[in-house]
Each structure stands twice: as structure tokens, then as C-alpha cells.
Amino acid sequence: MSESPLRHSSAPPLSATDQTRLRRLPKRARTERAALYEILDTGLVCHLGIAVNGSPRVIPTGYGRAGETLYLHGSTGARSLLDAAAGAGVCVTVTRLDGIVLARSVFHHSMNYRSAMIYGVVRVVTDADEKLAGLRTLSEHLAPGQWDAVRQPTRKELAATSLLALPLTEASVKVREGHPEDDEADLDGAVWAGVLPVHRVFGDPVPDPAVRPGTPVPGHISQRVTGL
Amino acid sequence: MSESPLRHSSAPPLSATDQTRLRRLPKRARTERAALYEILDTGLVCHLGIAVNGSPRVIPTGYGRAGETLYLHGSTGARSLLDAAAGAGVCVTVTRLDGIVLARSVFHHSMNYRSAMIYGVVRVVTDADEKLAGLRTLSEHLAPGQWDAVRQPTRKELAATSLLALPLTEASVKVREGHPEDDEADLDGAVWAGVLPVHRVFGDPVPDPAVRPGTPVPGHISQRVTGL
């Protein structure tokens, strides 16, 4: 893949900064915004890194993307941690593991993955309209089709939910794909080598015990089982 | 699940510290070491959080556990970042996503997950014996059976690999499982609700093009496909 910036949207390509430049394996860098969006749009969990009094914390949470903004669910970690995050520099990482790379030597074992690291200052969303829209983005990312199928949030529920926004301005994308990169001397053909693919799949939906027997699984849910 | 500490090994239970105490939903806390080990031993990728000049970075990398020590592959991020991590406080998080919780209201949507957050000071492993053993732990975690099936690391390869060690002293474990916790008023039985399970599965191994045709996939690899 080329490292030259390519335009895939009206937004600028991902520019290298001191934080995002890949020092070790620049060949794995991606600079297209489409690569960033693909990882964000297919991932389900992000890891939010914040520094509390200089000590890092890494918190898994849900998220959703709307254009150039990443919305993060703010109620997963302790509220005091999120207060620490608001207005401060954070790093959000989304990682998709695609395979285990099985080489002919221990040294060349690796993983196939796609990862996006986003740096920025998070903002607590307080505007009512943006909050509702952002929560919808987040909800539809996790559970597409559910927003319109279930009860909408009440004012009290909205107040009890915190939503963080992070602009997709500074990000780096790393992708490793394909077969092991073994040493020539190890390629005698006798040792099996290759990739063990890793997939995320959805199992059959399990109804809550209080669902009336015979209630069909809505199509927007059941289609995800075969959709991946 | 009880929140009282239970002994599952000779090591002490996970004690609550200011960093690990769950403020928001203490009912989701686990204090058994067995719960911590189960998450670490079944996960494949961890997210290493470090603070560089006060700014957090979250780096996905491979790991493996040997007793009370977590070994982290140190060559995934840029070397300068790992230098920053060495000797400093870090947070390592491993998250397993088990399901999407589909409720009768937007507000009660959630995820079923198991996550472990480990806090500590990382140490760069320099002792040759520990480094070899630690790398074996890491390799066997990612690709069990491969260490003895492929070429061992040379002295040069060992020197080119960095390995970090983190003691499993301070950790918190959070688990959410089961069905949505809907409001009583929403339980009319007409709206489908439940859990969409999320699984990690291994696909059929894909041989490297240089593997001699007809070379069988070793049993320790092929058994993983059906093993999960």
C-alpha cells in the first residue's frame, strides 16, 4: 500500500505528527481516511486512554462515528475518570484482529490486524440536540435498527447518560495483512506456515425470558447473524 | 456473584485500591484471581496504556501470562514509546466482548463483556533465561504448539525482540453478563429483547504459497478451528 496521502473524502488525509508517525514499521501505516473509517465502522469496542495525575488508564467502551466526530459512551468508566478525561488529551484505539500469522520461525510469528489510534481532546456533549443525535449514532453503531424499534430515552435517562465527542483530526492507522515474512533460509517447504484467520461472528439471538413466546426476532437483528 | 474475596490460588485475591475500585457499578466487579486469569488466558490482544509527557497512548500488542507475571511483546509500538513505558506506571486492559444486550429501551442497551485492567510498573526483561521463557510464554499464548514446531530464535533475533514484564499485583476485573435490565414498565412482552452473542472464531488455516502442496496442517493448529 502506498504511503502517499490519498483523498477518499472531503476531509484531509491523515497527516503524520510526532505522535502518529510510525517509527518502527512505516510500511504498515495507512494515510487514507477510508482506512480509518473502515476500522471504526466495523469495530464494536474502543479502548479510551486517559492520564489521571500522569497515570494512564485504559477503559473499554462503546462508540459510534458521525462524519468527522467519534462519540464515546461516557458511563462505562467511573464518572470521576471521565471528568478527568474531559478537556484533556486522550488516545482512543480500536483494534480488529484478523488472523494469527504462523511462520517457520518463532521470530516471524505475528498477527494480522487493523488498528486505529486517535488523539485529541474530548468534549462532554451538553447540547441537547447533539446529545440525542450522538447517542443515536452510538446506539445504531452497536445495535443497528434498535433506536426506532424500542422506547426512546426519557429526559431523565438522557441526563443520566454522558456522551463524549472526539474530533477525528489526528489519527494513525496500522494494518498488517497477508502471510508470514520468513527468512529465505527457512523456506524449505517442509514446515507448514500461513495464516489462521480470526473472525468475529454473531451467534443466534437469545430471547430474554420475559419476551412473549413466539415473538419473532426482528429482521434487523437476525440479519446480523448471517451478515458477517 | 459474590464480591467477597475468594482464594482460587496461592496468590492473594485482588484487593481494591483507589485505582481499581469500581465506583459506578460495583456489582460488576470480580475479586477472584481465577476471573482475572480466565480473561487473560483467553484473550489474544491487550491494550497497553502509557503516558508520554502526560499524554496517553494506547497500543495494541500481544501478551502471555506465566503465573503472576504478564509478558508483553515490546516491538509493536515504536521503540521510543516502550522506552517511555519502561519503569513507568502503565495500564494494560484486556477486553472480551461476549454479546450485545438488546433492551426494550435505548437506555438499557449494553454489552456483555469481561475486562481486566492491570496497573503496574513495567520492566524490560534483560535476563537471557527469563527472556527466552517469557517469549515462549507469549508465543505459546498466541500460537500454542508452534514454539517446538518451528525454528527457535537466534541470538540476533532475541536481541532484536524486546519483552516487557508486568506483575499481576494490582488489577480490576469487570464482567457484565445476562439479559437486559429493563424497567418494569417496559416489560409488556411485545418487544423482542435479549442478547446477540458475539464469538471469536478461527477460520480454516490458509497456507503460505511457499508451503509444499499436500503439507498437512499440524494438529495443534487445525484443532483450534473447531476448538472455540
Side-chain angles (χ1 to χ4, degrees):
Chain A
M1 295 286 284
S2 166
E3 281 184 60
S4 58
L6 297 175
R7 281 181 180 271
H8 281 252
S9 75
S10 60
L14 305 172
S15 57
T17 65
D18 280 351
Q19 282 193 116
T20 64
R21 191 171 291 116
L22 298 175
R23 288 172 185 80
R24 184 164 168 270
L25 290 170
K27 66 180 174 180
R28 292 186 183 162
R30 295 286 185 279
T31 56
E32 312 92 350
R33 282 198 164 260
L36 172 65
Y37 296 165
E38 192 269 341
I39 293 167
L40 296 179
D41 294 351
T42 62
L44 288 171
V45 174
C46 72
H47 283 84
L48 166 65
I50 61 176
V52 180
N53 301 326
S55 296
R57 314 262 176 126
V58 179
I59 303 164
T61 191
Y63 69 92
R65 181 180 73 88
E68 305 294 312
T69 302
L70 198 72
Y71 289 105
L72 308 171
H73 197 255
S75 295
T76 301
R79 186 64 57 97
S80 56
L81 294 187
L82 297 164
D83 289 345
V90 303
C91 175
V92 171
T93 299
V94 175
T95 305
R96 301 295 314 275
L97 178 63
D98 293 322
I100 298 172
V101 181
L102 303 161
R104 291 137 180 114
S105 63
V106 166
F107 183 71
H108 283 294
H109 275 65
S110 187
M111 290 190 248
N112 281 340
Y113 63 92
R114 291 162 284 162
S115 75
M117 295 169 68
I118 303 141
Y119 299 92
V121 174
V122 282
R123 166 175 66 86
V124 177
V125 178
T126 52
D127 177 82
D129 289 342
E130 186 189 4
K131 188 167 183 178
L132 196 66
L135 287 172
R136 185 181 178 122
T137 294
L138 203 144
S139 174
E140 287 295 291
H141 178 76
L142 179 70
Q146 283 289 93
W147 188 276
D148 289 327
V150 302
R151 181 174 61 72
Q152 302 293 301
T154 63
R155 191 177 298 190
K156 192 176 167 188
E157 287 173 341
L158 284 174
T161 308
S162 57
L163 184 71
L164 304 175
L166 179 65
L168 295 175
T169 309
E170 187 182 4
S172 70
V173 172
K174 271 178 80 178
V175 176
R176 200 250 180 245
E177 55 195 354
H179 284 289
E181 298 176 6
D182 276 306
D183 295 347
E184 282 292 322
D186 292 326
L187 296 177
D188 70 353
V191 175
W192 193 93
V195 173
L196 181 66
V198 178
H199 301 296
R200 181 193 69 206
V201 297
F202 297 111
D204 287 328
V206 181
D208 182 275
V211 172
R212 197 175 297 150
T215 303
V217 179
H220 66 269
I221 297 171
S222 60
Q223 73 184 14
R224 298 183 83 181
V225 179
T226 52
L228 280 192
Chain B
M1 295 284 285
S2 167
E3 282 183 61
S4 59
L6 298 174
R7 282 180 179 272
H8 281 252
S9 75
S10 59
L14 305 172
S15 57
T17 66
D18 280 352
Q19 283 193 115
T20 64
R21 192 171 291 116
L22 298 176
R23 290 173 182 80
R24 184 164 168 270
L25 290 169
K27 67 181 173 179
R28 291 186 184 162
R30 296 286 184 278
T31 54
E32 312 90 350
R33 284 199 163 259
L36 172 65
Y37 296 164
E38 192 269 341
I39 293 168
L40 297 179
D41 295 350
T42 62
L44 287 172
V45 174
C46 72
H47 282 83
L48 167 65
I50 61 177
V52 179
N53 301 326
S55 296
R57 314 258 174 127
V58 179
I59 303 164
T61 192
Y63 70 91
R65 181 181 73 87
E68 303 296 311
T69 303
L70 198 72
Y71 288 105
L72 308 171
H73 196 254
S75 296
T76 300
R79 186 65 58 98
S80 56
L81 294 188
L82 298 166
D83 289 345
V90 303
C91 175
V92 171
T93 299
V94 174
T95 305
R96 303 294 316 273
L97 177 63
D98 293 321
I100 298 172
V101 181
L102 303 162
R104 292 139 179 111
S105 63
V106 166
F107 182 73
H108 283 294
H109 276 64
S110 187
M111 291 190 247
N112 282 338
Y113 63 91
R114 292 161 284 162
S115 74
M117 297 169 67
I118 302 143
Y119 299 93
V121 174
V122 281
R123 165 174 66 86
V124 177
V125 178
T126 52
D127 177 81
D129 289 342
E130 187 189 4
K131 189 167 183 178
L132 195 66
L135 287 172
R136 184 181 179 122
T137 294
L138 203 145
S139 175
E140 288 294 293
H141 178 75
L142 179 69
Q146 282 290 93
W147 187 276
D148 289 327
V150 302
R151 181 175 62 72
Q152 301 295 300
T154 63
R155 194 177 296 189
K156 194 177 166 188
E157 288 173 342
L158 284 174
T161 308
S162 57
L163 184 72
L164 303 174
L166 180 66
L168 295 175
T169 309
E170 188 182 3
S172 70
V173 172
K174 271 179 79 178
V175 176
R176 199 250 179 245
E177 55 195 356
H179 284 290
E181 298 177 5
D182 276 307
D183 295 348
E184 282 291 323
D186 292 325
L187 297 177
D188 69 354
V191 176
W192 194 92
V195 173
L196 181 64
V198 178
H199 301 294
R200 181 192 69 205
V201 297
F202 296 111
D204 287 328
V206 181
D208 182 274
V211 171
R212 198 175 296 152
T215 303
V217 178
H220 65 271
I221 298 171
S222 59
Q223 74 184 12
R224 297 182 84 181
V225 179
T226 51
L228 278 191

